[in-house]
């Protein structure tokens, strides 16, 4: 620990550390070992790729991307948007998100299910923290880790994932 370093508690078992310590947020349910530097580098790279993938979204208010990775292979991807066959307009005339817009996580999970592959034991990289509904899908699909880059104002999805024993890791966006 760096002398005088301030640690900020974000939620139960989820703490933010100063940049000088080499990482931003650590879930204390995560093992910290020799392989942590390599995993942290991979986490940052996949999250950056999810951020790029999110640019495919037609949503104007917020572009969110997600990648599902298993055994260092991307097995699915998704971004927020309307269901297949719908118009690619996510907001109504009052600039509110339409209720049928799918979240990036839901798109990635349904896409992998449709392909016949399994998300069991995979890691989900998503640019914004999952909502409660997406957290339920994540739990049921067997995803074991979630890495995200933006904290949403409501953290009930993160709390549910932690309650289910899923490793949750926040990485501060540098862009």
């Amino acid at each position: 620990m760096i002398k005088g370093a301030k640690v900020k508690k974000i939620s139960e078992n989820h703490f933010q550390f100063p940049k000088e310590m080499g990482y931003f947020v650590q879930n204390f349910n995560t093992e910290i070992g020799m392989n942590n530097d390599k995993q942290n580098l991979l986490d940052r790279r996949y999250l950056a790729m999810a951020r790029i993938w999110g640019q495919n979204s037609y949503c104007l208010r917020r572009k969110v991307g997600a990648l599902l990775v298993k055994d260092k292979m991307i097995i699915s991807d998704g971004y927020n948007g309307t269901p297949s066959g719908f118009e690619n307009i996510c907001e109504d005339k009052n600039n509110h998100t339409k209720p049928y817009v799918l979240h990036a996580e839901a798109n990635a999970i349904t896409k992998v299910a449709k392909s016949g592959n399994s998300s069991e034991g995979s890691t989900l990289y998503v640019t914004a923290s999952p909502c409660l509904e997406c957290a339920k899908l994540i739990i049921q699909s067997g995803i074991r880790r979630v890495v995200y880059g933006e904290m949403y104002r409501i953290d009930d999805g993160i709390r549910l994932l932690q309650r289910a024993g899923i490793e949750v890791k926040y990485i501060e966006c540098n862009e």
Side-chain angles (χ1 to χ4, degrees):
M1 195 71 139
I2 297 174
K3 188 174 183 177
K6 292 185 180 178
V7 177
K8 178 182 172 188
K9 185 172 184 177
I10 295 171
S11 63
E12 186 177 347
N13 293 326
H14 206 128
F15 299 84
Q16 183 173 10
F17 293 89
K19 292 180 183 179
E20 304 84 50
M21 295 182 72
Y23 52 93
F24 301 101
V25 171
Q26 180 65 48
N27 180 336
F28 279 126
N29 292 330
T30 304
E31 287 185 34
I32 301 174
M34 293 293 280
N35 223 4
N36 196 40
D37 288 342
K38 185 174 183 179
Q39 185 61 58
N40 193 35
L41 181 62
L42 286 172
D43 288 346
R44 289 180 181 284
R45 287 179 176 166
Y46 282 125
L47 191 57
M49 291 169 68
R51 199 170 292 115
I52 291 166
W53 196 248
Q55 294 306 307
N56 288 316
S57 173
Y58 288 93
C59 297
L60 301 175
R61 293 180 62 216
R62 179 177 217 144
K63 295 179 182 293
V64 180
L67 295 177
L68 261 175
V69 177
K70 186 174 181 178
D71 301 324
K72 296 183 185 173
M73 292 184 291
I74 297 170
I75 60 170
S76 189
D77 55 65
Y79 50 86
N80 58 326
T82 56
S84 298
F86 281 63
E87 76 289 351
N88 285 323
I89 301 170
C90 299
E91 293 84 13
D92 63 20
K93 63 183 178 185
N94 296 319
N95 201 32
H96 295 115
T97 301
K98 293 178 180 177
Y100 53 85
V101 168
L102 292 161
H103 291 186
E105 307 94 301
N107 270 325
I109 291 168
T110 56
K111 188 175 182 179
V112 76
K114 192 174 180 180
S115 74
N117 289 320
S118 172
S119 56
E120 187 74 37
S122 64
T123 298
L124 176 70
Y125 294 90
V126 61
T127 58
S129 60
C131 70
L132 186 61
E133 293 303 313
C134 287
K136 293 178 202 176
L137 290 174
I138 291 165
I139 294 164
Q140 291 301 100
S141 64
I143 294 168
R144 70 173 179 82
R145 290 181 74 230
V146 174
V147 179
Y148 66 99
E150 275 181 47
M151 296 184 74
Y152 188 59
R153 61 183 168 81
I154 302 169
D155 69 346
D156 52 358
I158 294 296
R159 287 186 283 121
L160 184 65
L161 292 172
Q162 290 174 333
R163 182 176 172 197
I166 293 173
E167 179 185 339
V168 178
K169 181 177 180 182
Y170 166 75
I171 297 177
E172 184 176 301
C173 294
N174 293 328
E175 298 175 349

